[in-house]
Amino acid sequence: MKKNLVLALLAVLATGWAKATVLFPFYTDLSTDYKMIVRMVDERLEQVMHKGSSSWGSMTDCACFLDDVVPEDVSKTTMGDSMVVYVSPFHAKEVDTIETENKVCAIYLLKRKDRVDIYYTESSALQQKKWQEEIAAGKFDSQTELTEIKAGTKQ
């Protein structure tokens, strides 16, 4: 619990400095039991993915909560009745002279037969689009352990 509070405070502070909306605090509200399942390191730019299940209930409940609390700069995309994606700019193009390749964060709500899976990513905009396709296709459904990928290494 202490960890979540510290992360939420850091996210709020980072949002003020970067003038962007960080979605991680909203993700932790929806999924209180989650794991980091992917971390990629590419030239000092980390790209991460967390996965958890809904602590709120149905897909509609989760989407209604996010609709009520996320700021206006967050875009929402509904993909049929089984997936909703919220995307926000995470950093400006340059932070402390490090090129961030238009880094974004995203929350993915996925309706499964007996549950709602919730994913959170921080990545470049290109990686986010690729992860969105892979999450929709079910690539990460059974993955529960951290996979770390560093630039220049093979999986």
Side-chain angles (χ1 to χ4, degrees):
M1 188 65 171
K2 229 178 188 182
K3 176 183 164 185
N4 287 343
L5 179 61
V6 170
L7 287 173
L9 289 173
L10 288 173
V12 169
L13 290 174
T15 299
W17 294 325
K19 292 188 173 53
T21 301
V22 179
L23 297 177
F24 190 73
F26 304 110
Y27 170 76
T28 59
D29 284 340
L30 289 174
S31 180
T32 56
D33 186 21
Y34 61 89
K35 295 183 186 225
M36 180 184 299
I37 59 170
V38 175
R39 170 177 277 165
M40 299 187 314
V41 179
D42 188 17
E43 299 176 21
R44 301 183 312 192
L45 176 64
E46 284 191 307
Q47 303 190 51
V48 298
M49 178 188 293
H50 291 82
K51 176 186 175 188
S53 293
S54 170
S55 303
W56 274 71
S58 73
M59 176 92 150
T60 303
D61 295 334
C62 294
C64 286
F65 168 74
L66 288 175
D67 290 344
D68 287 343
V69 298
V70 296
E72 291 180 13
D73 67 335
V74 176
S75 66
K76 175 184 176 183
T77 304
T78 302
M79 302 171 67
D81 62 348
S82 63
M83 186 171 181
V84 180
V85 182
Y86 294 82
V87 178
S88 173
F90 183 62
H91 286 306
K93 284 221 174 219
E94 233 177 69
V95 176
D96 297 332
T97 68
I98 298 172
E99 181 65 34
T100 64
E101 299 176 7
N102 193 23
K103 195 167 181 185
V104 298
C105 56
I107 295 176
Y108 312 81
L109 306 176
L110 280 93
K111 184 171 25 172
R112 300 298 189 212
K113 289 181 182 178
D114 58 344
R115 68 188 189 284
V116 176
D117 286 340
I118 304 173
Y119 292 84
Y120 171 80
T121 62
E122 294 176 3
S123 63
S124 67
L126 290 175
Q127 181 66 50
Q128 186 276 322
K129 292 196 183 305
K130 181 177 180 183
W131 272 344
Q132 181 172 318
E133 292 171 7
E134 292 174 345
I135 289 169
K139 179 178 180 185
F140 298 101
D141 283 2
S142 61
Q143 189 171 355
T144 59
E145 299 298 321
L146 174 65
T147 302
E148 189 159 346
I149 306 164
K150 294 188 179 182
T153 62
K154 293 183 180 180
Q155 288 180 298

